[in-house]
Amino acid sequence: MCDTAGPCGECGEGPVRRRRGPVCSQPRPCVKCGDGPAAVVIRIGDAFCRACFREYFVHKFRAMLGKNRVIFPGEKVLLALSGGMASSAMLRQVQEGLSRETAKRLRFVPGVIYIDEGAVCGQSLVQREQTLTRMEALLQETGFPYYLASLEQALELPGSILHRGPGGDSEPSSSYKSAVEGFIQQRRKEEASGDGDTSTAGLSTQDGPTGDSHACLPAAARTEELQQLFDSAETLTAKEELLQMLRSHLLLHTARTQGYTKVMTGESCTRVAIKLLTNLALGRGAFLAMDTGFVDTRHGDVTVVRPMRDYMAKEIAFYNHFFGVPTVITPPLQAKRREKTSIHRLMENFLLRLQVDFPSTISTVYRTGEKLSVAPAEANSEQQRCLLCLCALDIAGEEELALEPTLVKETGNGAESRAAFIPLLCYSCRLTFKEMGPPATLPSYVRTEAERRNCRALMKEQIQEFLLEDDDEEEPGGS
């Protein structure tokens, strides 16, 4: 990666080599203003000075939101902050967008949530408290309402979190226009009444499950229960999928209880490309459009939005470095045996190493994902949705019978309880379920919802059998 200098072949000081050639001593000019020297080279031919790079970065974020038009003026949007580079840059973009002049200001109402995952990432109690203290100080500076949560709270979620809420269909452009007009009229009324500036940039609120970082940490019994759940998983791949499931369920629950209709996550272009190939390997090909697209409407009443998916990890790293964006990095899930890593990390290492010698690798994978259809599979009832990922079931009938012998490991009652979950899961979640611990270790809200769906399916079968018997009895008399 070339910083403050162009490819060495441009000044005739040696042959052109990718990445590893000698650095040119003559700085390149900015391709946009042409005045100052370039501070960063994003791609060949795209060299920017700091001021132009910042303008380019901000414009890309606003263009992504403006092009898709899924966030309405005045709508409550929950920003999912992990403390990493991408989500921290996303938070900074929202901060600056709300503080701009009226003509260019973002017009939604933001809130921020941070989920502490230290219990399953090898952090001690002291380390978790320190991380929460740093994160709370960062969130207080934003002036946005914020929520501090821990992953243990996902074990206490209600069963309704696995139900699809009302709505979720794509909004027509006319609805967006009417929302904008209504927002403008409301602002004019407020200005006329003397309440001119209603920007949330000046707020300084603390809204969340706790007001103290120490109190945010749950009881030791909950932490032990969560660690037991992850320890029972046989592979790191299953643990990664389990962590993603609990995280998404907790985000959805917070959004619903606090009145947010959109959730912003910070997946970059690099992360989206890695996720696309990873999900293919995990058997989630049917859901790639929802898992990696700009909009994910599987939950109905809450829509997940990925506004950072056009940014390469390199762009985000330079932006955070140049403009002092603070980050709070937490360790990832730890593998007990180093030689057995997860599919997620194998795919990440493969793509990043390939990117070194072939710089268009990640962008090519990303553009391929852009061509996928965004139309999800139809699911007319909760019985037709996966119990864990909430996507439409993509396997049924004879395929279920073929998979069951490979998924059921226990004997006796254990086999029966595990087999009861299989018809409720999509193909990918069944493969993950195979590597998870016994069903008794699953969160209570998952077990309760599984029992409810199985009882409902059994009742439906009994009603159908009863109706068929009545039809058979009436046929002889009718003839």
Side-chain angles (χ1 to χ4, degrees):
M1 178 170 52
C2 185
D3 184 12
T4 72
C8 54
E10 294 187 358
C11 62
E13 295 183 358
V16 177
R17 296 175 59 192
R18 183 178 290 113
R19 298 270 177 179
R20 298 179 183 176
V23 178
C24 174
S25 59
Q26 299 179 3
R28 298 175 61 177
C30 175
V31 296
K32 187 169 183 180
C33 66
D35 296 331
V40 56
V41 178
I42 300 174
R43 290 173 294 272
I44 298 177
D46 290 343
F48 295 98
C49 64
R50 288 200 179 197
C52 292
F53 174 64
R54 182 172 189 170
E55 184 179 347
Y56 154 83
F57 198 93
V58 172
H59 173 75
K60 182 183 279 192
F61 183 82
R62 297 180 61 84
M64 174 64 77
L65 295 180
K67 178 178 67 174
N68 291 276
R69 292 189 173 186
V70 296
I71 299 180
F72 289 8
E75 193 171 21
K76 294 185 67 177
V77 179
L78 184 65
L79 310 181
L81 182 66
S82 66
M85 287 195 173
S87 63
S88 299
M90 178 183 69
L91 177 60
R92 174 63 66 87
Q93 292 304 298
V94 175
Q95 285 182 268
E96 294 187 352
L98 289 172
S99 62
R100 283 174 170 260
E101 59 270 21
T102 305
K104 297 181 180 180
R105 179 183 297 166
L106 296 176
R107 302 186 182 279
F108 56 82
V109 181
V112 191
I113 181 173
Y114 172 75
I115 300 176
D116 169 42
E117 301 171 358
V120 297
C121 295
Q123 284 190 312
S124 65
L125 186 63
V126 175
Q127 291 174 325
R128 295 178 66 185
E129 291 176 348
Q130 292 174 348
T131 300
L132 284 170
T133 301
R134 292 174 57 195
M135 185 58 66
E136 186 169 17
L138 189 151
L139 294 178
Q140 286 177 345
E141 293 179 358
T142 66
F144 301 151
Y146 65 88
Y147 309 88
L148 294 175
S150 62
L151 195 62
E152 288 91 331
Q153 291 176 270
L155 301 177
E156 304 172 355
L157 294 177
S160 60
I161 202 66
L162 300 175
H163 301 169
R164 177 181 170 87
D169 298 329
S170 299
E171 296 287 350
S173 59
S174 59
S175 298
Y176 182 84
K177 292 179 181 179
S178 61
V180 172
E181 293 174 357
F183 180 80
I184 293 175
Q185 292 178 0
Q186 181 182 358
R187 288 294 300 271
R188 288 175 178 173
K189 291 180 180 178
E190 291 172 350
E191 290 176 358
S193 61
D195 299 332
D197 189 5
T198 59
S199 170
T200 60
L203 292 178
S204 179
T205 60
Q206 183 171 353
D207 191 5
T210 66
D212 178 59
S213 61
H214 297 269
C216 184
L217 294 177
R222 280 298 182 189
T223 301
E224 184 178 354
E225 182 182 353
L226 181 68
Q227 292 173 341
Q228 182 181 2
L229 170 62
F230 277 81
D231 290 341
S232 64
E234 299 176 3
T235 65
L236 187 57
T237 299
K239 293 180 181 180
E240 294 272 9
E241 290 295 295
L242 181 60
L243 175 60
Q244 183 175 335
M245 180 196 75
L246 294 178
R247 182 192 300 138
S248 63
H249 289 176
L250 188 53
L251 285 174
L252 177 62
H253 176 70
T254 305
R256 284 178 173 172
T257 54
Q258 302 297 331
Y260 292 90
T261 55
K262 298 291 189 303
V263 174
M264 273 191 185
T265 59
E267 291 103 327
S268 65
C269 173
T270 306
R271 184 56 53 190
V272 167
I274 294 171
K275 190 174 184 180
L276 191 147
L277 293 187
T278 300
N279 285 8
L280 276 177
L282 292 174
R284 296 191 59 81
F287 314 124
L288 287 179
M290 282 195 294
D291 290 341
T292 63
F294 177 77
V295 173
D296 183 354
T297 59
R298 77 183 71 182
H299 305 300
D301 55 340
V302 177
T303 301
V304 178
V305 183
R306 303 180 180 97
M308 301 296 292
R309 63 192 305 271
D310 265 1
Y311 294 94
M312 297 287 290
K314 178 174 70 172
E315 298 175 70
I316 297 174
F318 270 112
Y319 179 83
N320 291 355
H321 172 69
F322 285 158
F323 306 109
V325 178
T327 58
V328 180
I329 305 298
T330 55
L333 280 172
Q334 300 297 323
K336 292 183 179 179
R337 293 177 293 179
R338 293 183 180 180
E339 68 274 10
K340 294 214 172 180
T341 185
S342 66
I343 294 177
H344 307 73
R345 297 184 188 179
L346 284 173
M347 199 63 68
E348 180 177 0
N349 293 335
F350 168 72
L351 274 180
L352 294 182
R353 289 175 182 175
L354 198 61
Q355 177 77 7
V356 172
D357 293 324
F358 303 95
S360 62
T361 299
I362 288 178
S363 60
T364 300
V365 175
Y366 171 76
R367 287 195 302 269
T368 302
E370 285 284 277
K371 300 176 183 178
L372 298 173
S373 173
V374 296
E378 293 294 334
N380 298 323
S381 65
E382 294 298 332
Q383 298 292 126
Q384 299 176 1
R385 295 189 181 278
C386 177
L387 180 68
L388 300 182
C389 71
L390 309 182
C391 289
L393 294 178
D394 57 344
I395 184 171
E398 297 178 356
E399 294 175 292
E400 287 186 3
L401 300 177
L403 276 175
E404 282 186 17
T406 65
L407 291 173
V408 179
K409 293 184 178 180
E410 299 93 346
T411 57
N413 295 333
E416 294 178 1
S417 61
R418 182 176 285 272
F421 282 81
I422 294 174
L424 308 178
L425 305 176
C426 66
Y427 174 73
S428 176
C429 289
R430 291 180 188 187
L431 298 181
T432 303
F433 185 70
K434 172 185 176 182
E435 300 173 345
M436 294 176 64
T441 61
L442 291 174
S444 59
Y445 72 94
V446 175
R447 301 196 307 269
T448 302
E449 178 64 15
E451 182 179 357
R452 188 189 72 85
R453 291 190 185 186
N454 283 327
C455 290
R456 192 169 183 176
L458 180 61
M459 183 179 301
K460 185 176 180 179
E461 290 179 2
Q462 292 175 346
I463 292 175
Q464 290 178 346
E465 291 177 0
F466 178 76
L467 294 176
L468 290 175
E469 290 177 358
D470 286 349
D471 293 340
D472 293 339
E473 293 176 359
E474 293 177 0
E475 283 182 1
S479 59

